[in-house]
Amino acid sequence: MRALIAVSLVMSLQQVSFKESQLKHSRVNSAYQEKERLVKEYFTNKQLDYGGFHLFIRAFKQEKLLEIWIKEKGDETHHLLTTYPICTTSGVLGPKRKEGDLQIPEGVYRINHFNPVSTFHLSLGVSYPNASDRILSDPKHPGGAIYIHGNCVTLGCLPITDDRIKELYVLAVEANNNGQTDIPLHIFPAKFDQHVVADLKEKFEKSPATIRFWENLKIVYDDFEKLKTLKRIRVNNKGEYYF
């Protein structure tokens, strides 16, 4: 029992130290002063608990939309907290496959970096290339340095303006501080509704590899749409996602 208490205490101190270290940066401190009250109001309005939540992010390129989902402490179901417009995009629909193609990635990722001194105000790193990308993308030059960030310019990232990145950054810091060191991020070409899928297949009929990729990615989309829970997602030796 004492050992468990000691471990819990160490973990708690580590979590607090992360938030404290972030708050030492002026932009993060300002983001909390400007936005934490508003962020808490989102929770109140949706009747969600601000204490101990975990975060899940979904991005849709065609709709230019970022969805923010919350899982309350002790629950497995996710609830939509708010949405942010993606203010501009680059490239076309379809996954990122090489450095310099200007493509925004598509697939199953996680937030792997907090940058409180970003060139684009604040930014959250995307774990591109992931295991699937390393199989399907250019083996030597797949590209990288993909972020959700402020401002409204992009060469393959997801910009949501300085104002909105402040809110999302606060949410991400709080989630990390609650023990969620792995914040999932799913990026889709579009919302895979039936008519959208048919339209995509028609527009990209000359790109069968892209269609196959989307058909595989749709499995991930459909599962969350149905259950509003997240399962562990794996990648096989063909670069395909599976549960």
Side-chain angles (χ1 to χ4, degrees), residues 46 61 121 155 190 210:
K46 292 294 180 75
K61 290 163 60 172
H121 195 66
L155 295 174
T210 299

Side-chain angles (χ1 to χ4, degrees), residues 181-206:
T181 55
D182 188 0
I183 299 174
L185 165 66
H186 296 177
I187 307 177
F188 299 100
K191 293 195 173 185
F192 282 134
D193 302 324
Q194 187 173 356
H195 72 282
V196 172
V197 171
D199 185 56
L200 288 173
K201 286 183 176 180
E202 181 179 349
K203 289 181 178 178
F204 288 83
E205 62 179 350
K206 295 183 179 179

